[in-house]
Structures are given as structure tokens and as C-alpha cells.
């Protein structure tokens, strides 16, 4: 295949091209001078005889070389984009390829188009496969097979798995790539030798992991083993200190709470877990108070902005998102990196992470790399909730390993027992059917509806009229509709359309912009669906203005204004105001209704949960438990009682294949056995 890229040829076109700012150091005035001097030969001179540019006043020899370099790079970049466009590849991937490989990009891609499937480029494997076919690359090409194996592993990582059984991987890859087992084995062995993939053994059976996940979990296991082995027991009677704290604060801690506080003071690592109403916040507040009395610098973080705000409200101490704490920047290659790492440690003596169940393996590895080895680490979370969206099962693996300091709070305190939300949440975890009639319930209600239109109508009524009238709840700020699924009439997409039309109907006073799935209008409640570290936001705090970057997956806000001419929207995320262009709106969706997964780490005054028919694998116990525990003051389940019962009985959690639990056990002293992979 041949692609031809031509530069402008007429004097007017050349001057316009140079005046566009595409070549560094040349503006409109200088562009005119150059074209006046060299005419139609201008670009040929810049490319092949750049020293002649010094004939023009104001251009030095060094500047002439720089102009020459920029022109060549610009021409090569345009050639690459045209080449990839001919191959059916969008410009965004061409730009990424150019940033990665520069002048060699076209050569590399023509030899191995599967490099476009690498993480920093992100082109889908099937598109790469189509390109390879156009270029005459055979299906048994080793680059194709290796890329195909990586693709299957990445797809499994997107489902939460950091490793995959080799037997299943072989079966899927051979069918997917239309190859035999010998070709698969050869390609896999080569990837293992090159340390692009790793073997891991679980229950004497071989698994395969991508390098990024294997090294992340290996680092976590080694680092936690060291931290948990550090003792801060210097002969201090911590029990007496806790006694004094009880007297000062007029409180009596339960035995498990005292145990957790004692371990936090005497150990370098601790997991504090438990369901709602078991006193996690009270215990955590005691720890923080005692740490401060020891003049230790305490940092608190959470995976999401809403989770950070929640723990700040509960403890009275400032909390940040993990991303904001680590600070996102750009490395020398232009890729995003965390600015805090082994060479730029966070200044803290104690690190507390709340909502730890949401933290995936790679993010946790980054956090560990950014804290001093002597820093105490307290992980707080509920392991019965849904695991992280990203790959891994960090909190669950740490607890299940049985080798790390863990305190599980189980006693429900008297005040919490008065809440049907709390008592029913614990019943769900125990596999016990909840009382859906509950005449004495004040905060937990069930409303049976056995058709999708009936569910939609009731949800709208509750949000628009009944709950605001009975409880004074604001339909947008206080009420959140949840669903296990996006699809069906009881799923978030259809519910969002119905709720938008009723809660924020079209008006001549409201601007609109039609995006991908939704039409957005001023006043809409919206959610960010992907991490975007580059979005610039501004926040006003009193007379001060704060600026920062980054809006993250799960952040909820509302549209302040829309400019239809510029196709931009101004969105306020809890005080962080950002301007979105049309392309950025691809990562925004309406949030009147959100999936249970997207609600993790958040709490809402009132939650309306739809439970109806759908894909059985989406209707399981800890998803129901997670949904119920999102409600602070009121929970209403709308749908089928049989479906609620099905969810409680369906305790087949989304099993995740990971390495961390075994790695933690190995660090504890058990030697890893070596087994054959065939």
C-alpha cells in the first residue's frame, strides 16, 4: 500500500501553512519574510538547505536547524496519519503512535501492526488484525499470536482477573486466533522468556499473568510483609492509653474496637473491616486522635472524591483521593505518571485508606511506592462489598490470606440496630431473607412492581413528588436511583431518560447538546465514566481560588451551562468546575440513575433500588448488599420480591483469579512449590 502526502505548492498556500503556527518559531510576520525571499522554493530550501534561512534578518543558524527539524517532523507526522487513515485507523491513534515512535512509526507499524494494541496506543486487537490482513501478514505470525494472548489477558483483567488458568487461556486463544496448541505454547514461552508474562501457581495449577499485574501484586506482597513485621511496641502500655481515651471522650469501646486500636498503635499494618453500624468510624477516630497525641503526621485518602468527602465528614479530618494525593503528572515520554513515588515520598507517619474494597492492584502498588517504609498503614473497608472496578481483589486477598493483622468488627451497636437498613444489610450478608413487609420499618421499604413500565412510573413519582413531599429530599442532591444493570426498562439508560424528562424537562431557558447516548441540557445530573487526569478544574473556597487537574470515574456533578455554538459544557463536580468540549462528553453520562458498581464509595440520603429481571450473573448477594449500604436515611426497593430473594441466595461472588493471596502466604514463610506447566 502506498500513501502520498504533499505539502502546499503555491506562494499563498505556503505562506498560509507557515503562518498557521505549525512550525515553531515562525509567525505571520516571519512567514511573509521567508516567502517573499524564497517564493515557491521556500519549503524545498527549509527542508534541504536550511542554512539559507540565515539570509533573513532575525533567523540564526540554530533557529534555522530547528525550523528544518520541525518541518521534517511535521511532514512525517502527516504522512503517518494519512497512512493510518488509509488503513482505517482514527487520527487519535496516529497521534499516539507518533508520540511513541516518531519518524520510525510508519516503518514499525508496517512490519508489526499489533504494536498498536499496546497499552499506550490502545487500538483494538481486531482492528490490528484487519490491518495485518491488508498488509499480507499470516495468521500464524508470532507477533499476532503474542498480541492475541495479551489481548485475552487484558480482557480478563477488565473483568477483574490479574491472572488466568493456562488451560482456559489456551482454549480461548486457540479458538480466537484460529491456531493450534503448538503455536500458542511457542508464543507463550517466548513471552515468558521475555518477562512480558509470568507463570503463577495456585493450588498447584499454572496460571498466566501479564507483567504489569504480576509485578504489582508481587510488590504489594513483599512490601506488606515488611510493614506488618515492624513492631512499634516499645514497652508502652497501650491498654492504659485506651482507658484514658475512653474517660476523656466518655465512651466505652467494645473488645474488638480496643483490639483494633491497640494493633494500630503497636503494629505497622492493620486492616479494619466490618459492616454498617459496627463502629468502624468510632474506632478510626480513636486511632487518629491517639496518633496525633503521639505527634504523628496522618494522611487520609479514599479511591473516589465522594468517598474522600464522606470520610472527611465522618472524621473531621481532611481526606483526599488517592490520585490527588499521589499527584498526577507527565513523564519524559509524555505518559501519565504519579509524581509521588520511591524518589519523592509522601510526608507522613500514618496512612489511612478508606473504602479499600474499591482499590485495585495497580493503584495500591503506586500508593505503597509513595509512602516511607516506616509509615504505618491502616486499611479500612468492607470486604462484603463489591470488589474494585480495576483488576485485583486487594482487600479480600489480604483478609483471606490469613497472615496479615486483621480486625473484623461484627457487633451492631444499639443505635444502629434501630435502622432497618443496617439490620437488613447484615441479614443479606448472612444469607437470610429480609422482611420486605416490615410495618415498623422507618427507613427501609419494598414496593412490588412486576412490569418495567410500572417500575419506571413509580421511580419517577418517588423522585419527583413523594419523597420530596414526605421527607423534604432534593430530587437531585439527596435522592439516587440505583440499578444492577444499564439495560432493560428498569436499567439506568431508560430510567435516566425518563427521570431527565420529568426532573429537568426541555425549556427555552435551557441549552442542550446532543452527545453520544444522551442529549444533555443545563441542570442535568451527570457522572464521569473514565479517569481523565488532564481535565483542568477550578474551585472557589471563600475568597480563595484553587486550581487542579483530574476528574475521575464515578465523580457526580451537574451541568451549569452549555454553549451550543462552541459545543462545550461547564460541569460542577462538588465545587470543582470544569469545561468539557464535545469529545470529552463521550465520558459523561446522565446520573439520575447509576449502576450499583458506579455507586461504590458513595452514600446518599435516599436510595431507590430497582430489582427486576435480567442477566442472572448481575443479581447476586454482595451486589444487593453494596446497594443497600449506599443509603444513609432511606432505602426503597422497587421491583420483584422473588428477584430480591434470588439475589440473597445467589452467593456466587464474581470470583477473581489473582496472585496476591498466595504471594502473601509465601512471604509469610511458606516456600512456593514449582510445578510443570503442561
Amino acid at each position: 500500500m502506498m500513501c502520498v502526502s504533499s505539502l502546499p505548492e503555491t506562494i499563498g498556500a505556503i505562506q498560509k501553512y507557515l503562518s498557521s503556527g505549525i512550525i515553531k518559531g515562525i509567525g505571520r510576520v516571519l512567514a511573509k519574510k521567508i516567502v517573499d525571499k524564497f517564493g515557491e522554493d521556500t519549503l524545498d530550501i527549509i527542508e534541504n538547505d536550511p542554512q539559507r534561512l540565515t539570509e533573513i534578518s532575525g533567523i540564526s543558524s540554530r533557529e534555522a536547524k530547528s525550523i528544518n527539524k520541525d518541518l521534517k517532523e511535521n511532514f512525517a507526522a502527516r504522512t503517518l496519519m494519512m497512512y493510518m487513515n488509509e488503513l482505517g485507523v482514527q487520527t487519535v491513534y496516529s497521534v499516539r503512535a507518533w508520540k511513541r515512535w516518531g519518524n520510525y512509526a510508519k516503518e514499525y507499524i508496517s512490519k508489526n501492526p499489533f504494536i498498536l494494541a499496546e497499552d499506550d496506543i490502545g487500538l483494538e486487537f481486531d482492528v490490528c488484525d484487519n490491518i495485518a490482513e491488508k498488509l499480507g501478514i499470516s495468521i500464524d505470525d508470532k507477533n499476532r499470536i503474542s498480541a492475541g494472548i495479551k489481548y485475552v489477558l487484558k480482557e480478563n483483567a477488565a473483568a477483574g482477573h490479574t491472572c488466568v488458568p493456562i488451560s482456559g487461556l489456551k482454549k480461548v486463544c486457540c479458538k480466537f486466533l484460529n491456531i493450534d496448541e503448538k503455536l500458542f505454547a511457542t508464543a507463550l514461552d517466548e513471552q515468558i522468556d521475555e518477562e512480558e508474562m509470568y507463570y503463577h501457581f495456585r493450588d498447584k495449577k499454572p496460571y498466566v499473568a501479564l507483567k504489569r499485574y504480576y509485578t504489582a501484586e508481587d510488590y504489594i506482597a513483599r512490601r506488606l510483609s515488611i510493614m506488618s513485621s515492624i513492631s512499634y511496641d516499645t514497652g508502652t502500655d497501650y491498654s492504659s492509653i485506651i482507658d484514658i481515651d475512653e474517660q476523656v471522650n466518655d465512651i466505652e469501646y467494645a473488645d474488638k474496637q480496643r483490639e483494633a486500636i491497640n494493633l494500630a498503635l503497636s503494629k505497622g499494618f492493620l486492616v479494619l473491616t466490618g459492616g454498617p453500624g459496627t463502629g468502624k468510624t468510632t474506632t478510626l477516630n480513636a486511632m487518629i486522635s491517639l496518633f496525633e497525641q503521639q505527634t504523628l503526621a496522618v494522611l487520609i485518602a479514599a479511591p473516589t472524591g465522594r468517598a474522600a468527602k464522606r470520610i472527611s465528614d465522618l472524621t473531621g479530618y481532611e481526606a483526599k483521593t488517592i490520585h490527588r494525593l499521589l499527584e498526577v503528572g507527565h513523564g519524559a515520554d509524555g505518559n501519565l505518571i504519579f509524581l509521588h513515588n520511591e524518589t519523592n515520598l509522601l510526608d507522613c507517619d500514618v496512612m489511612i485508606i478508606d473504602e479499600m474494597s474499591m482499590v485495585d492492584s495497580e493503584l495500591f502498588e503506586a500508593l505503597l511506592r509513595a509512602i516511607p517504609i516506616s509509615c504505618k498503614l491502616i486499611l479500612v473497608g468492607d470486604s462484603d462489598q463489591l470488589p474494585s472496578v480495576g483488576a485485583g481483589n486487594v482487600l479480600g486477598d489480604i483478609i483471606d490470606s490469613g497472615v496479615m493483622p486483621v480486625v473484623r468488627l461484627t457487633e451492631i451497636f444499639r443505635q444502629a440496630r434501630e435502622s432497618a437498613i443496617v439490620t437488613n444489610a447484615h441479614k443479606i450478608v448472612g444469607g437470610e431473607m429480609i422482611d420486605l413487609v416490615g410495618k415498623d420499618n422507618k427507613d427501609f421499604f419494598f414496593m412490588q412492581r412486576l412490569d418495567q413500565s410500572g417500575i419506571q412510573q413509580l421511580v419517577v413519582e418517588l423522585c419527583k413528588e413523594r419523597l420530596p413531599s414526605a421527607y423534604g429530599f432534593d430530587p437531585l442532591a439527596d435522592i439516587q436511583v440505583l440499578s444492577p444493570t444499564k439495560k432493560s426498562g428498569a436499567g439506568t439508560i431508560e430510567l435516566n431518560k425518563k427521570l431527565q424528562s420529568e426532573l429537568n424537562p426541555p425549556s427555552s431557558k435551557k441549552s442542550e447538546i446532543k452527545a453520544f447516548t444522551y442529549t444533555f441540557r443545563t441542570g442535568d445530573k451527570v457522572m464521569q465514566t473514565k479517569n481523565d487526569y488532564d481535565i483542568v478544574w477550578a474551585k472557589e473556597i471563600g475568597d480563595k481560588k484553587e486550581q487542579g487537574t483530574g476528574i475521575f470515574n464515578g465523580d457526580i456533578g451537574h451541568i451549569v451551562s452549555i454553549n451550543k455554538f462552541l459545543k462545550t459544557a461547564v460541569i460542577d463536580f462538588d465545587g470543582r468546575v470544569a469545561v468539557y468540549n464535545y469529545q470529552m462528553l463521550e465520558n459523561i453520562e446522565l446520573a439520575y440513575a447509576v449502576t450499583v458498581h458506579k455507586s461504590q464509595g458513595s452514600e446518599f440520603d435516599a436510595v431507590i433500588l430497582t430489582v427486576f429481571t435480567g442477566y442472572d450473573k448481575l443479581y447476586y448477594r454482595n451486589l444487593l448488599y453494596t446497594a443497600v449500604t449506599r443509603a444513609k436515611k432511606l432505602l426503597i426497593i422497587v421491583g420483584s420480591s422473588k428477584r430480591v430473594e434470588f439475589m440473597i441466595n445467589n452467593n456466587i461472588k464474581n470470583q477473581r483469579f489473582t496472585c496476591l493471596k498466595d504471594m502473601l502466604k509465601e512471604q509469610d514463610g511458606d516456600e512456593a512449590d514449582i510445578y510443570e506447566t503442561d
Side-chain angles (χ1 to χ4, degrees):
M1 179 175 293
M2 184 176 179
C3 295
V4 179
S5 175
S6 60
L7 288 170
E9 297 177 352
T10 67
I11 290 176
I14 293 170
Q15 185 171 328
K16 185 177 180 180
Y17 176 73
L18 293 178
S19 299
S20 68
I22 203 163
I23 306 297
K24 293 177 184 177
I26 299 182
R28 291 184 180 181
V29 175
L30 189 54
K32 187 176 186 308
K33 284 184 180 180
I34 297 173
V35 174
D36 286 346
K37 174 74 174 176
F38 300 116
E40 292 181 357
D41 296 329
T42 295
L43 296 181
D44 180 64
I45 287 171
I46 292 175
E47 183 177 6
N48 300 307
D49 193 9
Q51 284 304 307
R52 287 200 59 194
L53 291 173
T54 60
E55 297 173 18
I56 296 172
S57 175
I59 299 180
S60 66
S61 177
R62 182 177 179 182
E63 287 168 336
K65 289 179 181 178
S66 176
I67 291 170
N68 167 263
K69 179 183 177 184
D70 279 354
L71 179 75
K72 286 182 176 179
E73 287 186 352
N74 181 261
F75 183 66
R78 291 175 67 230
T79 302
L80 173 66
M81 289 177 188
M82 293 183 68
Y83 173 71
M84 292 183 69
N85 183 258
E86 289 287 327
L87 294 173
V89 180
Q90 292 177 309
T91 301
V92 63
Y93 299 105
S94 303
V95 173
R96 292 173 188 172
W98 174 256
K99 286 182 178 179
R100 172 78 183 272
W101 298 296
N103 292 334
Y104 298 100
K106 182 181 174 182
E107 179 185 350
Y108 291 162
I109 292 166
S110 62
K111 289 180 179 178
N112 178 17
F114 297 100
I115 60 175
L116 295 171
E118 293 182 11
D119 290 336
D120 53 352
I121 309 298
L123 191 62
E124 289 292 327
F125 177 84
D126 60 345
V127 179
C128 296
D129 217 14
N130 289 335
I131 294 172
E133 186 178 358
K134 291 177 182 177
L135 297 175
I137 296 173
S138 66
I139 64 168
D140 60 357
D141 180 84
K142 69 174 185 177
N143 290 322
R144 176 179 182 268
I145 298 171
S146 296
I149 297 172
K150 284 183 180 179
Y151 171 76
V152 172
L153 289 172
K154 287 177 185 177
E155 287 294 291
N156 277 275
H161 307 292
T162 60
C163 60
V164 176
I166 192 172
S167 56
L169 180 66
K170 177 168 43 178
K171 182 178 179 181
V172 170
C173 287
C174 288
K175 182 179 180 180
F176 172 64
L177 297 170
N178 192 25
I179 58 171
D180 59 37
E181 293 185 1
K182 185 177 180 181
L183 285 171
F184 166 82
T186 300
L188 179 60
D189 286 343
E190 187 172 301
Q191 290 294 295
I192 296 292
D193 290 342
E194 293 177 359
E195 296 186 345
E196 290 294 317
M197 300 175 193
Y198 287 81
Y199 284 128
H200 173 70
F201 292 89
R202 295 182 61 193
D203 301 322
K204 301 183 180 181
K205 295 179 181 178
Y207 287 67
V208 178
L210 286 170
K211 178 180 180 178
R212 58 189 285 192
Y213 300 115
Y214 185 89
T215 55
E217 293 192 308
D218 178 62
Y219 181 84
I220 291 168
R222 289 186 288 107
R223 183 65 186 270
L224 292 188
S225 179
I226 294 171
M227 295 180 78
S228 64
S229 68
I230 298 175
S231 174
Y232 293 82
D233 191 350
T234 57
T236 305
D237 185 355
Y238 291 120
S239 293
S240 297
I241 293 174
I242 298 171
D243 290 340
I244 295 170
D245 185 72
E246 285 182 324
Q247 293 172 11
V248 170
N249 295 293
D250 191 24
I251 192 171
E252 183 177 349
Y253 299 118
D255 290 344
K256 280 291 182 182
Q257 289 179 305
R258 289 182 66 94
E259 179 187 350
I261 298 167
N262 200 316
L263 284 171
L265 295 172
S266 61
K267 294 287 186 180
F269 175 81
L270 174 68
V271 171
L272 177 65
T273 187
T278 57
K280 291 198 301 292
T281 302
T282 300
T283 308
L284 185 58
N285 280 333
M287 292 176 184
I288 296 170
S289 175
L290 293 172
F291 286 144
E292 290 200 326
Q293 289 177 38
Q294 294 178 324
T295 67
L296 298 177
V298 180
L299 290 180
I300 305 175
T304 68
R306 294 182 73 88
K309 185 177 184 302
R310 173 181 168 274
I311 195 63
S312 290
D313 293 341
L314 291 173
T315 63
Y317 293 86
E318 181 188 13
K320 296 181 179 180
T321 64
I322 298 174
H323 291 88
R324 192 175 173 198
L325 196 69
L326 296 178
E327 295 186 67
V328 178
H330 291 86
D333 57 0
N335 290 327
L336 293 168
I337 60 170
F338 288 120
L339 299 182
H340 286 286
N341 51 36
E342 298 98 327
T343 60
N344 182 25
L345 296 172
L346 291 165
D347 184 14
C348 60
D349 301 308
V350 180
M351 174 65 71
I352 297 170
I353 306 297
D354 192 36
E355 293 289 353
M356 186 61 203
S357 63
M358 297 178 64
V359 180
D360 61 59
S361 297
E362 290 188 293
L363 183 58
F364 191 49
E365 176 204 15
L367 178 75
L368 289 176
R369 290 185 182 278
I371 61 176
I373 193 68
S374 59
C375 177
K376 289 173 175 283
L377 181 61
I378 313 292
L379 307 182
V380 185
D382 187 345
S383 59
D384 290 314
Q385 289 185 21
L386 294 170
S388 59
V389 175
N393 185 28
V394 178
L395 182 64
D397 282 348
I398 292 172
I399 294 172
D400 293 343
S401 71
V403 299
M404 304 300 291
V406 176
V407 176
R408 183 185 293 274
L409 304 179
T410 56
E411 180 184 345
I412 306 175
F413 288 92
R414 181 182 59 79
Q415 186 175 356
R417 287 198 298 269
E418 297 174 2
S419 166
I421 294 173
V422 172
T423 55
N424 280 327
H426 285 272
K427 285 181 180 180
I428 291 168
V429 168
E432 182 182 348
M433 184 59 189
I434 56 181
D435 182 6
L436 296 178
V437 179
K439 294 181 180 179
D440 296 329
N441 288 353
K442 297 179 181 178
D443 61 359
F444 189 108
F445 302 96
F446 172 78
M447 297 182 177
Q448 179 104 327
R449 293 293 186 277
L450 298 178
D451 63 277
Q452 295 183 13
S453 61
I455 290 174
Q456 290 177 1
Q457 183 179 350
L458 179 55
V459 169
V460 169
E461 287 178 9
L462 289 168
C463 290
K464 186 178 180 181
E465 301 166 2
R466 294 169 65 169
L467 297 188
S469 175
Y471 298 91
F473 290 140
D474 183 295
L476 300 186
D478 302 326
I479 303 171
Q480 184 61 59
V481 178
L482 301 180
S483 173
T485 179
K486 286 187 173 184
K487 300 177 181 179
S488 84
T492 60
I493 293 176
E494 290 303 316
L495 286 171
N496 268 317
K497 291 176 181 178
K498 292 285 185 183
L499 289 165
Q500 181 194 42
S501 67
E502 294 292 331
L503 300 179
N504 190 32
S507 165
S508 59
K509 297 179 180 179
K510 300 174 185 175
S511 295
E512 293 186 354
I513 182 170
K514 185 171 179 57
F516 301 87
T517 303
Y518 301 106
T519 294
F520 297 112
R521 68 178 60 102
T522 304
D524 272 337
K525 183 177 182 179
V526 295
M527 173 183 279
Q528 177 81 9
T529 59
K530 289 184 179 179
N531 289 343
D532 191 326
Y533 303 93
D534 292 327
I535 294 178
V536 178
W537 52 260
K539 185 175 185 178
E540 291 189 9
I541 307 173
D543 296 332
K544 297 181 180 179
K545 286 188 177 181
E546 178 186 354
Q547 278 197 328
T549 57
I551 301 294
F552 303 108
N553 186 5
D555 285 352
I556 293 177
H558 69 276
I559 297 178
V560 176
S561 63
I562 290 173
N563 187 315
K564 294 176 69 173
F565 178 73
L566 296 177
K567 287 191 173 183
T568 59
V570 177
I571 306 178
D572 185 335
F573 294 93
D574 287 328
R576 293 172 298 148
V577 180
V579 178
Y580 278 65
N581 61 35
Y582 184 77
Q583 194 64 37
M584 293 160 67
L585 289 173
E586 183 179 1
N587 296 329
I588 290 290
E589 62 184 30
L590 292 177
Y592 300 97
V594 302
T595 62
V596 177
H597 282 87
K598 291 290 187 183
S599 73
Q600 282 181 272
S602 300
E603 279 190 338
F604 311 93
D605 284 347
V607 167
I608 301 169
L609 172 66
T610 63
V611 177
F612 197 55
T613 57
Y615 190 42
D616 284 353
K617 286 189 176 181
L618 288 176
Y619 290 79
Y620 50 96
R621 185 184 297 174
N622 68 332
L623 185 137
L624 177 61
Y625 173 76
T626 300
V628 168
T629 53
R630 298 309 91 204
K632 288 195 290 186
K633 298 178 181 178
L634 179 69
L635 174 77
I636 299 175
I637 300 178
V638 177
S640 164
S641 60
K642 289 185 178 179
R643 200 60 171 168
V644 173
E645 185 175 3
F646 174 85
M647 293 183 79
I648 293 172
N649 291 329
N650 183 17
N651 195 31
I652 303 175
K653 295 183 180 180
N654 282 347
Q655 182 188 14
R656 292 195 168 186
F657 297 126
T658 62
C659 309
L660 182 57
K661 183 172 80 170
D662 302 311
M663 288 175 169
L664 286 166
K665 288 182 176 180
E666 291 170 13
Q667 289 295 323
D668 190 54
D670 295 336
E671 292 296 324
D673 294 319
I674 304 299
Y675 300 92
E676 295 296 327
T677 56
D678 295 328

